[in-house]
Amino acid sequence: MSAAAEDRWGNQDERGEQYVFPVPPAGGWTADDLDRIPGLPPHTELIDGGLFFVSPQTFFRMAALRLLENALVQQAPDHVFVIREMTTKLGERDRPEPDLMIVREDALNGAEQTWYDPGDVLLAVEIVSDESLQRVREVKPRKYAAAGIRHFWRVEKSDHLPVVYVSELDPATGSYAVTGIHHHRLKVDVPFPVEIDLTAVDRRRDARD
């Protein structure tokens, strides 16, 4: 990490609490810096050399993430692995953190691993929040597609339920084409057969389970 990365600048919120932020080096941060900058909040992303911090968790996002993760874990074939809230290194200045990824099993290389190569990512899943709307609808899909990640799901809220926009990489254009918009039930055949009852997002498990 460069010397500039060791600098900090502080700010106070309305309660007088002091926050200290890292000052980027000339040209911005790199993907490798993300593992070396001290004091970053969990789930910090790097996009175009800039750091992005997550907003406070909402119940909808937590419940949708849990529903999708559990279903994917249960239905995934043995040769892939479901990864939650870890980064993929798309390039020198891009290291976003999808909410979920499906990666090849041979991409796992140890307990200290912090990122995955996009060539090993079969599916990236992003759940939209108010502060991430533009990034998830526009910026991230463009970068995932350019990196060659074949499948992308965008999850949004409608009438308190998740709606899943399923996209697949079009080799002719190098961009994603929406192959389905799924309300109430998600059923796809790629990257492997999956069926999810989306109305179960806030359903409590039976006490006998």
Side-chain angles (χ1 to χ4, degrees):
M1 183 169 58
S2 69
E6 296 291 344
D7 295 335
R8 296 288 184 272
W9 62 274
N11 194 15
Q12 286 188 341
D13 67 7
E14 64 274 10
R15 296 169 297 183
E17 294 183 2
Q18 185 75 25
Y19 293 90
V20 180
F21 300 93
V23 176
W29 303 107
T30 69
D32 290 333
D33 287 331
L34 203 58
D35 288 328
R36 301 193 291 254
I37 305 171
L40 287 181
H43 310 300
T44 299
E45 299 183 284
L46 184 77
I47 299 176
D48 292 327
L51 300 176
F52 287 83
F53 309 124
V54 299
S55 60
Q57 180 78 288
T58 65
F59 176 82
F60 171 79
R61 185 182 178 282
M62 178 278 297
L65 180 56
R66 181 173 58 188
L67 173 70
L68 295 173
E69 180 185 21
N70 288 345
L72 289 170
V73 167
Q74 292 167 6
Q75 300 177 50
D78 291 340
H79 65 277
V80 302
F81 207 83
V82 180
I83 301 297
R84 174 174 174 156
E85 297 174 315
M86 290 185 65
T87 59
T88 175
K89 189 186 292 187
L90 304 183
E92 184 182 7
R93 301 193 182 279
D94 287 299
R95 196 170 145 189
E97 182 182 292
D99 292 302
L100 293 168
M101 291 186 288
I102 302 295
V103 304
R104 305 179 198 279
E105 187 178 32
D106 58 11
L108 309 181
N109 61 23
E112 303 306 314
Q113 185 170 3
T114 60
W115 58 271
Y116 294 89
D117 188 281
D120 293 317
V121 179
L122 306 181
L123 168 68
V125 181
E126 294 275 4
I127 301 173
V128 171
S129 61
D130 289 343
E131 60 85 21
S132 71
L133 183 63
Q134 183 178 13
R135 292 197 303 278
V136 174
R137 283 183 174 179
E138 300 176 17
V139 179
K140 286 187 172 183
R142 173 169 47 83
K143 290 181 177 293
Y144 292 152
I149 296 176
R150 186 172 179 183
H151 300 281
F152 174 68
W153 296 356
R154 187 181 84 246
V155 183
E156 302 201 12
K157 182 176 66 174
S158 178
D159 295 328
H160 306 290
L161 293 176
V163 176
V164 182
Y165 296 77
V166 173
S167 299
E168 186 169 350
L169 188 62
D170 181 347
T173 64
S175 60
Y176 287 123
V178 175
T179 58
I181 301 175
H182 299 258
H183 300 257
H184 303 295
R185 183 168 296 276
L186 169 65
K187 185 175 181 180
V188 296
D189 294 323
V190 289
F192 52 83
V194 176
E195 186 168 357
I196 305 173
D197 178 6
L198 300 174
T199 68
V201 66
D202 58 358
R203 187 180 304 159
R204 294 184 182 181
R205 292 189 55 170
D206 191 302
R208 296 168 298 180
D209 289 351

